[in-house]
């Protein structure tokens, strides 16, 4: 199969981002094999042509979507699968079917997290577990809250892949009047930026309820960006020294951090807001109907930064609130001293 | 006079930022000779101990301020003067008294703009006009809306000066429980960042009323930061090639851009909001009770970037709306294509 040709396209996941991606691709004339976790949602989609739980205002033309809860059937029908489940569930989904079904697929990752059991990005997991051909992998990142895609408000997505033809072919399927696309080769950096921004957004939410103001928040986010930039540069040097460095002052890196820290749509920011108000981590997570990726990301990045010996004091402090019972208010008193 | 010693301190200007600085310094035990433009405000301050027009909630202890509308008297009494008038009026204020009164002062600039008649930063103007000793100059920049200083919400200021002792001495006068300070040598970069952010914030305001969403705004601001970063680097290379480069991923650069673009306190953002709604530039400016520095800054930066041959497409497009009658909505349709 030629890399220009995406063949049949499947989408794995029916959360808000998976639903937004399905909207973009069906708006652009693609038919989507859509794996939806439970049979009730499949039936609802078939009968009422919209997702019962997320982006409920988005209507699909019945002929453009083929929803099913049979993952194996989707994989057997498709050449290209777009992976959009919370990273905490990704490994379970992958392991629920035979390995061979994944091995030859073009896998497009819309996951913004690290797989929790292995602390690996999806591509590194696939290569390690399946001897997967990394040239068939593309990530979709960028500052893009699904709710604004539902409203068709202009958004920018960055596609990263080592194979230019495939990456461009995928990006071209997304381009339309409300989606602008760019692409680069930086699978690792773009995904790590997306992981990190969720952790920092939890911090932004905490700062917000701890009654810090706009001045402080801008300083906090600036320091988060500096830490992210430092991590990305160090990661390149230590892990992929010969890879080409992209321009980190672009939307997939800084832009995604900004929208996640500032937008009220951000569920990670919301988690932080609740922690700042004094909710326990457990209760805050129970209260939220959607998974805040930053919770698991904080633990994953803690492990990765230790392994690579990269100092990340801000991410580490937020990790301590999330996983080691540190008090949010005390943590920010310490952070105040670190910022500049 | 030793550079560690600031001697008597004067503040020139009673706008919101000048009032905030007066609050910080008087809270820290300094007595301030305060030049206030009109006699009525002087009288009000003397009788009621707060500014009648800006940050009216801030009360001063009567013994800590010496308000007067006599600029010459302030300059004769002071060794150090903090300059905090809108850049559009700065030259008029300077020229209203004898040159010799400025020449030996330690001048601390809190101006976030370019002097409009000469398109120069205050330090360059002083050197050019008065053969001023640049080692006596310090700029105060940073993401710091005056309204949050009034509320004593933790804010960070960056002091830039070529003379470390003086710069540190000035910064130390500001440090307290709600002000954290840092310092560097980058007079030019820190001031240009402060100038540019006001232009970009006008754009952010326009985007807001033109109904772009959070996703787009984060992309727009990221591209503004990239343009700012590019300008600062080019400016160093072309004008001060031997100067030490600071870390631009810090609060005086990125942080100030963020707070000005995102905070509802930002008057430049407000100007953009009005232009996006269809107000003419003239009417929008008339409606605002405070000067939006970005209006003049756009014209100044247009001249400077041309002279130095530095491409700044975003700043240039905003200039065209402000000064050449370009339509805000059409301008953003063009900008959409430039962003990534």
């Amino acid at each position: 199969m030629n890399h220009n040709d995406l063949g049949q396209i499947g989408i794995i996941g029916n959360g808000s981002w998976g639903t937004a991606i399905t909207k973009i691709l069906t708006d652009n004339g693609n038919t989507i094999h859509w794996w939806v976790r439970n049979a009730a949602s499949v039936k609802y989609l078939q009968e009422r042509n919209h997702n019962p739980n997320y982006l409920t205002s988005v209507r699909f033309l019945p002929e453009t979507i083929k929803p099913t809860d049979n993952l194996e059937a989707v994989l057997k029908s498709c050449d290209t699968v777009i992976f959009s489940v919370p990273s905490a569930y990704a490994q379970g989904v992958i392991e629920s079917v035979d390995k061979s079904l994944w091995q030859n697929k073009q896998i497009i990752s819309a996951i913004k997290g690290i797989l929790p059991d292995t602390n690996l990005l999806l591509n590194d997991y696939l290569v390690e577990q399946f001897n997967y051909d990394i040239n068939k992998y593309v990530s979709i990142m960028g500052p893009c809250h699904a709710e604004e895609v539902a409203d068709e408000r202009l958004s920018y997505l960055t596609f990263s892949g080592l194979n230019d033809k495939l990456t461009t072919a995928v990006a071209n399927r997304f381009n339309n009047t409300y989606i602008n696309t760019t692409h680069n080769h930086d699978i690792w950096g773009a995904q790590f930026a997306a992981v990190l921004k969720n952790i920092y957004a939890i911090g932004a939410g905490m700062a917000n309820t701890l009654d810090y103001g706009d001045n402080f928040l801008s300083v906090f986010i600036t320091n988060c960006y500096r830490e992210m930039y430092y991590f990305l540069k160090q990661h390149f040097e230590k892990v992929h020294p010969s890879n080409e460095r992209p321009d980190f002052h672009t939307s997939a890196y800084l832009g995604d951090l900004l929208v996640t820290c500032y937008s009220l749509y951000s569920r990670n920011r919301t988690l932080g807001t609740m922690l700042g108000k004094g909710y326990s981590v457990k209760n805050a997570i129970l209260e939220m109907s959607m998974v805040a990726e930053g919770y698991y990301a904080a633990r994953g990045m803690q492990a990765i930064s230790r392994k690579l010996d990269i100092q990340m004091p801000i991410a580490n402090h937020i990790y301590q609130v999330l996983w080691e019972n540190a008090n949010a208010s005390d943590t920010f008193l310490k952070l105040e001293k670190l910022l500049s």
Side-chain angles (χ1 to χ4, degrees), chain A:
Chain A
M1 185 176 167
N2 188 309
H3 264 152
N4 284 327
D5 187 359
L6 302 182
Q8 293 289 309
I9 300 173
I11 294 182
I12 314 290
N14 59 320
S16 58
W17 189 218
T19 306
I21 291 174
T22 307
K23 172 184 164 57
I24 298 167
L25 291 178
T26 55
D27 280 354
N28 289 359
N30 300 283
T31 301
I32 297 300
H33 301 262
W34 194 0
W35 181 68
V36 169
R37 182 179 281 269
N38 65 69
S41 293
V42 171
K43 193 156 175 277
Y44 193 101
L45 269 165
Q46 284 165 336
E47 286 173 0
R48 303 181 61 173
N49 304 310
H50 70 98
N51 188 323
N53 306 115
Y54 302 103
L55 308 190
T56 51
S57 66
V58 174
R59 303 273 152 179
F60 298 98
L61 291 175
E63 64 272 23
T64 63
I65 54 167
K66 299 179 173 178
T68 169
D69 62 346
N70 185 336
L71 179 58
E72 208 171 295
V74 169
L75 291 170
K76 283 184 175 162
S77 305
C78 294
D79 311 288
T80 302
V81 290
I82 299 175
F83 216 88
S84 182
V85 296
S87 57
Y89 306 141
Q91 211 169 318
V93 171
I94 293 171
E95 290 172 359
S96 71
V97 295
D98 194 80
K99 269 192 184 187
S100 64
L101 289 168
W102 298 103
Q103 266 160 334
N104 295 312
K105 298 287 173 252
Q106 295 174 148
I107 297 182
I108 318 302
S109 175
I111 293 180
K112 298 183 177 185
I114 298 166
L115 308 195
D117 292 342
T118 55
N119 293 327
L120 292 172
L121 294 173
L122 180 61
N123 55 300
D124 289 329
Y125 172 81
L126 292 170
V127 170
E128 199 176 290
Q129 292 290 309
F130 300 168
N131 196 25
Y132 181 77
D133 175 7
I134 188 78
N135 288 301
K136 292 184 168 181
Y137 184 89
V138 174
S139 70
I140 311 176
M141 300 290 139
C144 203
H145 283 299
E147 292 78 359
E148 292 197 347
V149 172
D151 291 345
E152 302 187 2
R153 298 182 103 173
L154 183 62
S155 302
Y156 290 67
L157 293 173
T158 297
F159 294 76
S160 305
L162 300 181
N163 180 317
D164 278 332
K165 279 190 181 168
L166 174 62
T167 310
T168 315
V170 176
N172 286 343
R173 293 293 176 106
F174 281 75
N175 258 316
N176 63 23
T177 54
Y178 59 89
I179 298 289
N180 276 2
T181 66
T182 49
H183 55 94
N184 67 21
H185 295 148
D186 183 25
I187 296 173
W188 290 274
Q191 289 183 104
F192 274 123
V195 169
L196 284 167
K197 64 105 172 40
N198 286 332
I199 304 171
Y200 298 134
I202 294 175
M206 287 186 212
N208 186 46
T209 29
L210 290 170
D211 218 27
Y212 291 94
D214 294 347
N215 292 345
F216 179 84
L217 187 61
S218 76
V219 171
F220 176 73
I221 295 172
T222 297
N223 280 263
C224 292
Y225 179 61
R226 188 161 73 238
E227 184 170 291
M228 174 192 283
Y229 185 85
Y230 176 74
F231 173 83
L232 296 176
K233 279 181 62 177
Q234 290 276 303
H235 184 267
F236 263 107
E237 280 165 33
K238 296 187 179 198
V239 184
H240 306 286
S242 60
N243 278 30
E244 157 209 0
R245 266 82 170 154
D247 181 351
F248 292 127
H249 309 319
T250 49
S251 299
Y253 308 88
L254 177 57
D256 206 3
L257 175 67
L258 296 184
V259 81
T260 311
C261 287
Y262 278 111
S263 176
L264 300 180
Y265 289 125
S266 164
R267 64 191 83 165
N268 289 288
R269 191 179 185 281
T270 303
L271 172 58
T273 304
M274 295 171 84
L275 298 176
K277 276 186 181 156
Y279 277 70
S280 71
V281 177
K282 200 174 163 186
N283 282 345
I285 288 172
L286 281 173
E287 281 282 327
M288 294 179 68
S289 63
M290 300 196 275
V291 177
E293 286 279 3
Y295 174 65
Y296 294 103
R299 192 180 57 176
M301 286 307 307
Q302 171 75 2
I304 290 168
S305 61
R306 270 199 193 163
K307 191 175 156 199
L308 295 174
D309 192 23
I310 301 176
Q311 299 298 313
M312 307 189 79
I314 302 175
N316 185 40
H317 274 293
I318 295 166
Y319 162 80
Q320 286 175 28
V321 174
L322 292 170
W323 292 92
E324 296 191 344
N325 218 18
N327 175 278
S329 174
D330 293 346
T331 298
F332 266 82
L333 290 178
K334 289 178 198 161
L335 280 172
E336 285 180 7
K337 309 271 182 293
L338 293 178
L339 306 182
S340 65

